[in-house]
Amino acid sequence: MRIALSQLTTGPEPGKNLTLIKEWTSRAADAGADIVVFPEASMACFGTPLAPLAEPLDGPWATAVRTVAEEAGLTVVAGMFTPASGGRVANTLLATGRDVEAAYDKIHLYDAFGYAESDSVAAGSRVVTIDVDGVRLGLATCYDVRFPELFRAHADAGATATLLAASWGAGPGKIDQWELLVRARALDATLWVAAVDQADPAARGDAAGGTAPTGVGHSMLVGPDGTVRHRLGAEAELALVDVDADEVMAVRKNIPVLANRRLGERR
């Protein structure tokens, strides 16, 4: 399976971001990708008032993404915001195209490092996997990477990879934490992790401001043995990576951590 890691920088306007998604999806399709994964907050960057921009999954923004996926002939995974109760929104990953139609609402909200995502976002509760050409993939978003149980739940559901969309917060040590956590989650669940972050706005000369997480780049593909197979830098970039489902079975035979669990084991 060929996955396009689409590390771009989105802005506050959903229409302009949709144009980027269309352009980068076309590039991914031309390169032979089966899936293109965009970051969290692809619809609109953090630091933007989210409630006025949120749309339902049958609204114009998601419908346009479906059209992009259909025309390109691949599966698109992109972060958007959907309405939730109490004037808040859900931080949603839309997965659409190639007989896939699913949405994952971020379970673990980023209430850390001086930022309170839960002030404007309602937490999801459902583990979501998708099947693309017979390969099962889990969906996760940013702060979820600090919680290994979600990635093990993907493995228990039959996934051989997790697609992790992020808009990682900058700060001292945060890039190191990002890589450490992505690699650890791959090892915890012995699955591939395709982690796609927003490119660092500073890489294109935009000054950072406030505590909103706007991305640091450094997207990566990590194998089920925890090794980094492909790593990007800070700037916007599209990378094509290949995932081998058979390697997951081989690693799980040699490192059967899922089968050897005693605490929180699958019932």
Side-chain angles (χ1 to χ4, degrees):
M1 171 169 286
R2 178 157 289 185
I3 300 175
L5 310 179
S6 185
Q7 180 176 285
L8 47 66
T9 301
T10 58
E13 299 179 47
K16 289 184 177 179
N17 297 329
L18 187 62
T19 298
L20 287 175
I21 288 173
K22 184 174 182 178
E23 292 172 354
W24 287 51
T25 298
S26 178
R27 291 171 56 193
D30 290 344
D34 302 297
I35 307 169
V36 56
V37 184
F38 290 95
E40 175 188 25
S42 289
M43 183 186 199
C45 62
F46 285 111
T48 305
L50 300 178
L53 299 177
E55 295 182 7
L57 290 167
D58 60 354
W61 199 86
T63 299
V65 174
R66 289 188 189 95
T67 300
V68 168
E70 181 180 354
E71 291 177 347
L74 46 62
T75 302
V76 174
V77 177
M80 64 176 294
F81 300 101
T82 55
S85 61
R88 295 189 292 175
V89 303
N91 187 339
T92 300
L93 269 187
L94 171 67
T96 185
R98 209 176 245 191
D99 297 322
V100 171
E101 187 60 43
Y104 164 70
D105 292 338
K106 183 178 182 182
I107 293 174
H108 303 99
L109 300 183
Y110 181 60
D111 288 357
F113 294 100
Y115 188 79
E117 186 177 10
S118 63
D119 285 348
S120 57
V121 178
S125 60
R126 187 170 60 94
V127 175
V128 176
T129 61
I130 60 174
D131 293 324
V132 179
D133 298 341
V135 178
R136 183 156 294 175
L137 309 164
L139 300 180
T141 303
C142 204
Y143 194 57
D144 281 335
V145 76
R146 294 184 181 271
F147 301 88
E149 53 271 24
L150 176 60
F151 294 75
R152 293 190 183 116
H154 292 162
D156 288 341
T160 56
T162 293
L163 307 178
L164 171 65
S167 184
W168 198 251
K174 291 297 297 296
I175 293 174
D176 290 337
Q177 291 177 33
W178 166 248
E179 178 174 328
L180 174 64
L181 289 162
V182 174
R183 295 181 67 183
R185 297 298 80 84
L187 271 173
D188 290 334
T190 49
L191 45 62
W192 294 88
V193 179
V196 183
D197 189 25
Q198 291 260 357
D200 187 345
R204 67 176 188 183
D206 293 345
T211 59
T214 53
V216 295
H218 296 273
S219 300
M220 68 190 80
L221 176 72
V222 177
D225 61 352
T227 59
V228 178
R229 307 300 177 85
H230 195 95
R231 182 190 285 108
L232 280 64
E235 55 283 328
E237 184 178 352
L238 181 74
L240 278 292
V241 297
D242 293 320
V243 166
D244 181 0
D246 291 339
E247 185 175 342
V248 171
M249 299 302 105
V251 170
R252 288 179 182 172
K253 182 177 180 180
N254 289 327
I255 317 172
V257 293
L258 295 173
N260 292 344
R261 280 177 292 176
R262 302 295 293 171
L263 299 176
E265 60 187 325
R266 187 181 182 187
R267 301 295 182 183

